[in-house]
C-alpha cells in the first residue's frame, strides 16, 4: 500500500512540474529555457514519491511519533554506522547547496526581470544546487552529445569551455565551505564512535563513500541533467561522470577525520 500510494504521489508531482515547466518557459537571448522534459518528471517523481515512501517507512518504524518531523528525528538518532554518516553528510551538503542556489536564483531572477521564471523554481532549483555542488566539491559539469568531451570545472576546463575556468574564482569560497563542513561532520562522527564504537574502524570506512558515490551517479543522471540544442543537434549537460568518485572522496575525507586526528580534537575541546 505504501509503495503504490507513493508512486501515485510521484506521478502527480511529475505532472504538476511538467505543467509549471511548460507555462514558465523563458527566453534568454536566443535560448529558450524550459523545465519540460522527461528528466524533470523523473526528478519530481524521485523527490515526491521517495519522500512519501520515506514518510510511510518512518510511520511504521516510529509509530509513537506525533508527526513526520518527530519521526525523522527519532530515526535519525537511532541510525548507526555508515547509514547515519551518509544521511547526515548528504543533509548538510544538501542544505548548503540549496541555500546558495536559492540566493543565486533570486539574484538572477531579479536582475533578468523574468517574473514568470518563478514557475520554474521547483524544477530548476535542485539542478542549480547540484551544479553548484559539483563545482564546490571540485567536480565538473560536462556536456554530452555533439559537444561530447567539453566540460567546465575549477580544476580545469576543456573543449568549448577551455577559457571559462578563470571566471569561476569565487567558487573557491564554496570549496572552503565544503572543507569546513567535512571537518565538522568528521568530528560529529568521532563523537558518535565514542559512545557507539561497534562501527568505528578502518574496516567500515569504505561503506559511506561507496554508498554516496553510487547515489550521486544515479541522482546526477536522473535529476541533474538538462537538455538543449547546439547548432541543431541535441546535447545535454550534467555533472561529469567522474564526479561520483569525487563525492566518494569527500565522504572518505569525513571518515579520515573521524579515524585520525578527530578524536584528539574532541577530547581536547569537549564542547565541540
Amino acid at each position: 500500500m505504501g509503495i503504490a500510494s507513493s508512486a501515485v504521489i510521484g506521478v502527480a508531482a511529475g505532472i504538476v512540474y511538467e505543467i509549471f515547466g511548460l507555462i514558465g518557459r523563458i527566453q534568454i537571448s536566443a535560448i529558450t529555457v524550459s523545465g519540460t522534459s522527461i528528466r524533470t518528471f523523473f526528478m519530481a517523481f524521485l523527490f515526491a514519491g521517495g519522500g512519501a515512501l520515506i514518510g510511510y517507512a518512518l510511520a511504521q518504524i516510529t509509530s509513537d511519533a506525533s508527526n513526520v518531523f518527530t519521526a525523522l528525528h527519532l530515526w535519525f538518532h537511532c541510525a548507526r554506522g555508515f547509514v547515519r554518516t551518509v544521511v547526515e553528510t548528504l543533509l548538510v551538503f544538501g542544505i548548503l547547496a540549496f541555500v546558495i542556489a536559492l540566493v543565486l536564483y533570486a539574484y538572477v531572477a531579479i536582475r533578468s526581470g523574468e517574473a514568470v521564471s518563478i514557475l520554474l523554481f521547483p524544477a530548476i532549483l535542485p539542478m542549480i544546487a547540484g551544479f553548484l555542488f559539483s563545482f564546490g566539491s571540485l567536480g565538473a559539469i560536462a556536456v554530452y552529445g555533439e559537444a561530447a568531451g567539453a566540460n567546465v570545472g575549477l580544476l580545469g576546463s576543456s573543449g568549448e569551455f577551455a577559457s571559462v575556468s578563470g571566471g569561476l574564482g569565487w567558487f573557491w569560497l564554496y570549496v572552503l565551505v565544503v572543507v569546513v563542513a567535512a571537518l565538522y561532520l568528521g568530528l560529529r562522527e568521532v563523537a558518535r564512535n565514542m559512545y557507539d564504537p561497534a562501527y568505528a574502524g578502518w574496516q567500515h570506512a569504505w561503506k559511506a563513500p561507496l554508498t554516496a558515490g553510487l547515489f550521486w551517479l544515479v541522482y546526477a543522471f536522473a535529476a541533474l541533467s538538462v537538455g538543449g540544442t547546439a547548432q541543431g543537434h541535441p546535447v545535454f549537460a550534467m555533472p561529469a561522470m567522474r564526479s561520483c568518485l569525487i563525492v566518494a572522496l569527500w565522504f572518505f575525507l569525513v571518515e579520515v577525520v573521524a579515524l585520525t586526528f578527530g578524536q584528539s580534537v574532541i577530547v581536547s575541546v569537549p564542547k565541540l
Side-chain angles (χ1 to χ4, degrees), residues 199-215:
Y199 294 95
W202 290 105
Q203 69 272 23
H204 301 291
W206 60 273
K207 297 178 181 178
L210 178 63
T211 304
L214 292 175
F215 167 81

Side-chain angles (χ1 to χ4, degrees), residues 10-253:
V11 170
I15 293 173
V16 172
Y17 269 52
E18 291 292 328
I19 294 173
F20 280 167
L22 184 63
I23 298 173
R25 62 174 58 194
I26 59 177
Q27 190 77 24
I28 301 176
S29 185
I31 302 174
T32 299
V33 179
S34 172
T36 306
S37 71
I38 185 63
R39 289 185 175 86
T40 298
F41 179 88
F42 190 84
M43 180 190 69
F45 180 86
L46 188 67
F47 276 106
L53 187 60
I54 291 172
Y56 176 80
L58 287 173
Q60 305 304 309
I61 296 172
T62 56
S63 56
D64 56 334
S66 59
N67 56 68
V68 68
F69 299 105
T70 304
L72 180 61
H73 177 79
L74 291 174
W75 175 85
F76 192 71
H77 287 278
C78 291
R80 302 172 64 196
F82 81 97
V83 175
R84 174 71 180 269
T85 300
V86 169
V87 173
E88 186 170 81
T89 305
L90 287 176
L91 183 63
V92 171
F93 284 165
I95 290 174
L96 287 174
F98 270 90
V99 168
I100 295 174
L102 180 60
V103 173
L104 287 179
Y105 186 85
Y107 174 77
V108 172
I110 293 172
R111 288 293 300 272
S112 65
E114 292 283 356
V116 73
S117 67
I118 194 65
L119 294 175
L120 287 175
F121 182 83
I124 204 171
L125 185 64
M127 184 195 72
I128 295 174
F131 278 25
L132 289 175
F133 180 73
S134 293
F135 286 128
S137 62
L138 299 179
I141 303 299
V143 177
Y144 300 95
E146 290 297 315
N151 66 82
V152 56
L154 291 180
L155 298 181
S157 303
S158 64
E160 297 179 1
F161 305 115
S163 60
V164 175
S165 293
L168 300 176
W170 69 273
F171 274 103
W172 287 103
L173 294 175
Y174 193 169
V175 176
L176 179 60
V177 172
V178 173
V179 171
V180 172
L183 293 174
Y184 168 74
L185 290 163
L187 295 178
R188 284 186 58 85
E189 184 176 345
V190 171
R192 294 197 302 273
N193 290 342
M194 292 178 72
Y195 64 79
D196 185 18
Y199 294 95
W202 290 105
Q203 69 272 23
H204 301 291
W206 60 273
K207 297 178 181 178
L210 178 63
T211 304
L214 292 175
F215 167 81
W216 186 255
L217 182 64
V218 174
Y219 179 68
F221 183 80
L224 297 181
S225 56
V226 55
T229 58
Q231 299 178 348
H233 300 285
V235 296
F236 70 95
M238 62 174 286
M241 292 296 184
R242 67 177 183 273
S243 293
C244 66
L245 299 177
I246 296 174
V247 169
L249 285 175
W250 282 105
F251 275 70
F252 186 67
L253 175 62

